[in-house]
Amino acid sequence: MHGITSEDLSSRGFGHSSSSPSLLLHQQPQAPPPLKPLWSQLQQSPPRARLHLYFIRACMGILVLTCLIQLVTVGQIWHRPRLPNLGGSRGQYQLIGRSTPASNEGSPGPVAATPPILPARIYKSNGYLEVSCNGGLNQMRAAICDMTTIARFLNLTLVVPELDKKSFWADPSDFADIFNVSNFINSLRDEVRIIKRLPRRIIGKGSPGGSFMMPPVSWSNETYYLTQILPLFGKYEVIHFNKTDARLANNGLPIELQRLRCRVNYQALRFTDQIESLGNKLVQILQAKGYFVALHLRYEMDMLAFSGCTHGCSDEEAEMLKRMRYAYPWWREKEIASEKKRLEGLCPLTPEEAALILQALGFGRETQIYIAAGEIFASELRLKALKAAFPQLVRKEMLLDPEDLKQFQNHSSQMAALDYMVSIASDVFIPTYNGNMAKVVEGHRRYLGYRKSILLDRRELVRLLDLFQNQTLSWDEFANGVQVAHMNRMGKPSPRNVIPNKPKEEDNFYANPWECLRNPS
């Protein structure tokens, strides 16, 4: 009983009076007074009870705090997985702990989608990596992806890459003129630290202890960079790679490295707003007219000079191309047998050959053909047959106002970026030569859901073309042969072809980034 006094008991006949027991039997029971809340009782209880109260409150607080900490920790692990830290000081490294493969369902978002700005990864850098990219737009693009991956693997701070200004095209464009620098830095900030320029304390500091310039060994795997390159940062604060194309192996790399190459390529390397705006305008103009094919007609002067392919050229034109090849020391080779290279499938198709192949594949005169290429060699003469077969043959210069293209004139890489965007968006992509743009666009279209890309078997096509042109084959036989040869060359899912010790002959990683794709079971 709670809160009942001795006076209460006396008044009810339970005191020391001599009341008769019979009176107790007839006394009506009364309801006890209402109970006070336990919390109130404890507050009015002796000191020992209050200690129990404080103990309970402390335990409850600790329990709640522990639950909150666990929830936060689980959330961080779920959203940003990490592999064990294998180091962070100079001379050690840390493997990649985050990558972004394509999802298993649905199509991955377009490359233009803006990724969230992620928190920067906190680590102690092993040094600074500068890189100079060489070649055209897509050769440099692949090199940027490789060098960013290497910087992450070796725990290096990457300086925004320098682009080639000394090649045949003499394009003065900087990285920021082609790519969105902020997106490049911010979209990778949870993986690798990227800065726009070296700190002032390092600029101008000479060797030893300053910078060291070198070209990495071509087609090297992660072991080479770990054992041969990383120790150099113990002596030099900065290493400058002066050639970066094809310096990372296609195959045999950890899947984390392969997927980071894709993340750089398809998420971090967005074009500038100006390029994307005009590229989207081009695509909208073409799509408004219906179905269109992007034909990467690699019959440009630099490609013909570099390859030594002169099929269909006059003697004067062949001599001009030869002089041009010898004017560039890095293009110079022994005497090239043009016809032999052509029979081996090592030459780009001519515009006349491309017209026949497109017709044999079933494309009609009404098909809209967009030429994704630079200036075609002897274009007025060489494009005549292609224009006759496909009257809706267009180029960016024909679709856009000259004022729109004015800012891109004399900037071949920026012009190539427009062709790249159109090629990605086209209903069908057909390259006439397996160059860097053909490879990178093919891989990007695979990443976006295996969009149709017809990958021409030039060796077989040359054989069929010669048989048709010497009237050994009828048109129907020729067309049937072309279609049969390409039934399984439409960019459908297929594992990358691996040729040990022959990296130049195996499938290029960027043409078929198998590790990043949604592959059917």
Side-chain angles (χ1 to χ4, degrees):
M1 299 177 68
H2 302 281
I4 300 177
T5 65
S6 59
E7 290 79 6
D8 295 327
L9 290 173
S10 299
S11 65
R12 297 180 187 180
F14 287 93
H16 297 284
S17 63
S18 58
S19 299
S20 169
S22 62
L23 293 177
L24 295 176
L25 292 175
H26 294 285
Q27 187 156 355
Q28 296 297 322
Q30 296 183 10
L35 300 180
K36 295 182 180 180
L38 178 61
W39 193 257
S40 176
Q41 296 174 47
L42 287 173
Q43 286 181 320
Q44 297 176 9
S45 52
R48 186 169 181 178
R50 286 199 296 272
L51 287 176
H52 287 183
L53 169 63
Y54 298 146
F55 178 75
I56 292 171
R57 293 174 67 180
C59 289
M60 291 176 64
I62 292 171
L63 179 61
V64 171
L65 181 60
T66 302
C67 291
L68 288 173
I69 292 173
Q70 291 294 327
L71 287 172
V72 172
T73 303
V74 170
Q76 289 176 339
I77 292 172
W78 181 261
H79 290 292
R80 289 202 305 278
R82 290 277 183 265
L83 291 183
N85 189 341
L86 301 180
S89 58
R90 188 175 295 277
Q92 295 178 305
Y93 70 102
Q94 183 180 26
L95 292 178
I96 289 173
R98 177 186 169 95
S99 56
T100 308
S103 60
N104 292 324
E105 297 181 359
S107 298
V111 72
T114 303
I117 296 178
L118 300 168
R121 185 170 65 96
I122 301 174
Y123 70 103
K124 183 177 180 181
S125 174
N126 288 327
Y128 295 89
L129 178 63
E130 289 187 307
V131 296
S132 295
C133 302
N134 54 300
L137 173 66
N138 294 286
Q139 185 172 328
M140 293 191 292
R141 184 185 185 105
I144 292 166
C145 297
D146 287 352
M147 295 299 105
T148 305
T149 300
I150 289 165
R152 173 62 180 90
F153 179 64
L154 299 182
N155 239 15
L156 304 173
T157 297
L158 177 69
V159 182
V160 169
E162 298 174 2
L163 303 188
D164 192 344
K165 298 180 175 63
K166 299 179 181 179
S167 63
F168 164 79
W169 304 276
D171 187 340
S173 300
D174 290 319
F175 187 99
D177 297 319
I178 301 173
F179 299 109
N180 186 319
V181 179
S182 296
N183 184 75
F184 180 63
I185 294 173
N186 291 330
S187 65
L188 296 170
R189 60 187 289 126
D190 65 324
E191 287 289 5
V192 59
R193 184 183 179 217
I194 304 173
I195 58 176
K196 294 182 180 180
R197 60 190 65 84
L198 284 172
R200 288 186 178 181
R201 68 175 184 81
I202 294 177
I203 296 175
K205 189 176 181 180
S207 298
S211 62
F212 176 67
M213 184 175 290
M214 62 170 290
V217 175
S218 298
W219 312 112
S220 297
N221 61 22
E222 80 282 10
T223 303
Y224 163 78
Y225 287 97
L226 185 63
T227 60
Q228 302 296 316
I229 300 300
L230 185 58
L232 293 175
F233 285 95
K235 181 177 181 182
Y236 305 101
E237 284 189 89
V238 184
I239 291 182
H240 190 138
F241 289 161
N242 56 3
K243 289 184 180 179
T244 53
D245 63 316
R247 304 294 156 160
L248 190 57
N250 291 312
N251 301 295
L253 298 176
I255 193 169
E256 292 87 359
L257 291 178
Q258 299 290 54
R259 288 179 173 173
L260 182 56
R261 293 167 95 174
C262 293
R263 183 177 173 189
V264 179
N265 196 16
Y266 305 129
Q267 295 184 26
L269 284 182
R270 283 180 51 187
F271 293 123
T272 63
D273 292 342
Q274 292 82 359
I275 292 174
E276 288 203 350
S277 176
L278 194 57
N280 287 330
K281 183 177 180 179
L282 260 176
V283 171
Q284 290 168 4
I285 292 171
L286 289 161
Q287 289 177 338
K289 297 179 180 180
Y291 183 93
F292 76 97
V293 174
L295 178 67
H296 183 43
L297 188 61
R298 195 68 169 94
Y299 201 76
E300 299 147 314
M301 191 173 186
D302 64 293
M303 172 50 64
L304 299 178
F306 172 75
S307 64
C309 295
T310 57
H311 179 73
C313 295
S314 66
D315 291 342
E316 292 77 12
E317 289 172 336
E319 183 60 30
M320 181 194 311
L321 294 171
K322 182 178 179 180
R323 288 198 303 270
M324 181 179 178
R325 181 170 73 255
Y326 278 87
Y328 291 88
W330 52 93
W331 286 3
R332 193 177 302 163
E333 291 186 18
K334 296 178 181 179
E335 197 66 26
I336 295 175
S338 175
E339 284 305 312
K340 182 180 178 181
K341 287 193 71 172
R342 176 176 175 270
L343 291 174
E344 292 174 349
L346 300 176
C347 289
L349 296 180
T350 68
E352 298 90 342
E353 291 172 335
L356 290 172
I357 297 305
L358 288 173
Q359 290 174 312
L361 287 169
F363 294 103
R365 286 176 55 83
E366 74 286 354
T367 305
Q368 192 178 191
I369 306 289
Y370 176 89
I371 296 183
E375 184 64 32
I376 303 302
F377 183 59
S379 60
E380 287 302 316
L381 176 64
R382 304 311 296 270
L383 288 176
K384 187 178 294 185
L386 190 57
K387 287 179 179 178
F390 299 97
Q392 292 197 58
L393 189 74
V394 295
R395 300 169 56 90
K396 52 185 168 292
E397 292 85 356
M398 299 168 61
L399 299 174
L400 296 173
D401 189 281
E403 196 63 29
D404 289 334
L405 285 172
K406 186 176 181 180
Q407 60 180 318
F408 301 109
Q409 295 295 336
N410 302 317
H411 295 83
S412 59
S413 291
Q414 296 182 48
M415 296 287 269
L418 297 174
D419 287 338
Y420 184 95
M421 290 187 65
V422 174
S423 298
I424 294 298
S426 63
D427 294 285
V428 182
F429 173 66
I430 306 177
T432 61
Y433 183 74
N434 192 30
N436 289 295
M437 178 168 174
K439 294 171 183 173
V440 177
V441 170
E442 176 194 342
H444 201 152
R445 289 174 66 84
R446 286 176 180 268
Y447 180 80
L448 293 175
Y450 296 100
R451 295 177 179 175
K452 183 177 288 187
S453 301
I454 302 180
L455 312 173
L456 301 180
D457 183 346
R458 290 185 304 282
R459 181 188 292 228
E460 177 63 11
L461 288 179
V462 165
R463 186 185 74 83
L464 292 170
L465 283 163
D466 288 349
L467 289 174
F468 172 68
Q469 289 173 338
N470 65 24
Q471 299 183 349
T472 301
L473 292 179
S474 66
W475 172 256
D476 288 342
E477 291 171 326
F478 169 71
N480 183 66
V482 171
Q483 291 176 25
V484 169
H486 294 88
M487 287 179 63
N488 297 315
R489 298 179 66 89
M490 300 287 182
K492 293 182 179 179
S494 61
R496 199 167 51 248
N497 182 32
V498 180
I499 305 177
N501 302 318
K502 292 185 178 180
K504 289 185 179 181
E505 298 178 25
E506 66 186 6
D507 289 348
N508 183 274
F509 172 81
Y510 292 102
N512 186 6
W514 183 253
E515 296 87 341
C516 310
L517 306 180
R518 304 177 315 283
N519 300 312
S521 56

